[in-house]
Amino acid sequence: MARASEVLRQSAGDLWNQYVRSRFVEMLRDGTLPRDAFRYYLIQDSKYVEEMQRAVIRAASQAPLPEAVKVLLAVFANPERGAEVHSRLFSELNIGEVEVSSTGMNLTSYAYTRHLNYYASLGWPEFLAAWAPCMWGYSEVGSYVMHSSDPLYRTWGEFYASDDYNSRVRAVLEVLDQYSVTPEMQRAFVNSVRFEISFWESALRKDPTVY
């Protein structure tokens, strides 16, 4: 029997490739992405991650204890590596914490985080399905972008291609794979893939903030 993660990915069809090989990703890989677009993306991503982490904790409060512990330890127990890369990128692009905190979310960031919070309130397996595209897709994107000709984008890609990050992804997918896929889980997964595509596109456009 196919694992839940495989079923969900197949249900996304060509949307998955549009996500992990979007124009934004291709520009990261070939080094042509404008710095201002990457800078904009990093700020919006910081806003997203803050809300995403809250949703993870909320969803885990409804999970069987061993599953919650496995996922929370994988995601939160060793933040140093991510923080180190985060600080380097922010320093290179002159992004300060004051700027991040004072910048609002664009419409895609706002809607995507509300989508995650909805599924966090709905149930644990539904939330895992909604969250998986973010975690899983970035490991694939990182493995692609780590070969960028641009040192800054290569640094970003190397983190998401790292063993440390991929151990987090494996923990999420292993727990997800303990469940049978429902139509609601499929809907959550596919819509998250759509949000990920929109997230890249909004960074290229540098959409105005709305919240």
Side-chain angles (χ1 to χ4, degrees):
M1 179 179 294
R3 295 191 297 268
S5 55
E6 293 174 346
V7 173
L8 290 169
R9 179 162 168 165
Q10 289 170 5
S11 71
D14 187 54
L15 285 172
W16 185 265
N17 191 59
Q18 292 178 44
Y19 162 31
V20 300
R21 293 294 183 272
S22 70
R23 181 165 166 249
F24 187 95
V25 171
E26 293 291 355
M27 293 173 78
L28 282 172
R29 163 74 183 228
D30 65 24
T32 60
L33 182 71
R35 281 290 195 268
D36 61 342
F38 189 58
R39 192 178 192 279
Y40 175 97
Y41 157 78
L42 288 174
I43 293 173
Q44 286 301 309
D45 186 58
S46 293
K47 310 294 284 190
Y48 164 85
V49 168
E50 184 178 348
E51 287 297 320
M52 178 267 284
Q53 290 177 340
R54 290 195 181 102
V56 172
I57 294 169
R58 183 179 184 184
S61 69
Q62 305 178 64
L65 184 59
E67 296 178 16
V69 169
K70 180 174 183 175
V71 169
L72 293 176
L73 281 177
V75 174
F76 294 109
N78 185 29
E80 290 81 8
R81 170 63 175 152
E84 177 186 341
V85 174
H86 176 277
S87 295
R88 178 177 171 185
L89 295 175
F90 274 44
S91 176
E92 287 278 342
L93 295 169
N94 195 29
I95 302 172
E97 293 303 324
V98 172
E99 181 180 3
V100 174
S101 62
S102 63
T103 300
M105 288 183 169
N106 66 30
L107 188 60
T108 297
S109 302
Y110 181 78
Y112 192 4
T113 54
R114 270 54 192 175
H115 165 79
L116 291 179
N117 274 296
Y118 168 73
Y119 281 104
S121 68
L122 190 64
W124 177 238
E126 291 83 5
F127 174 76
L128 291 173
W131 184 32
C134 171
M135 297 295 291
W136 193 4
Y138 267 57
S139 68
E140 292 193 16
V141 170
S143 295
Y144 188 61
V145 174
M146 68 181 289
H147 302 291
S148 175
S149 59
D150 187 300
L152 192 67
Y153 301 156
R154 190 162 61 243
T155 296
W156 179 89
E158 285 170 350
F159 168 68
Y160 289 108
S162 68
D163 291 340
D164 175 66
Y165 182 78
N166 278 283
S167 68
R168 306 178 195 187
V169 177
R170 285 193 299 272
V172 173
L173 296 183
E174 285 168 3
V175 173
L176 174 60
D177 285 339
Q178 296 179 46
Y179 292 90
S180 298
V181 174
T182 65
E184 192 62 50
M185 290 170 68
Q186 285 188 315
R187 185 158 42 248
F189 186 93
V190 172
N191 283 334
S192 287
V193 174
R194 291 192 175 104
F195 275 123
E196 290 289 350
I197 295 167
S198 295
F199 205 94
W200 299 134
E201 292 174 346
S202 70
L204 286 174
R205 295 189 302 262
K206 299 195 292 292
D207 287 352
T209 58
V210 296
Y211 179 80

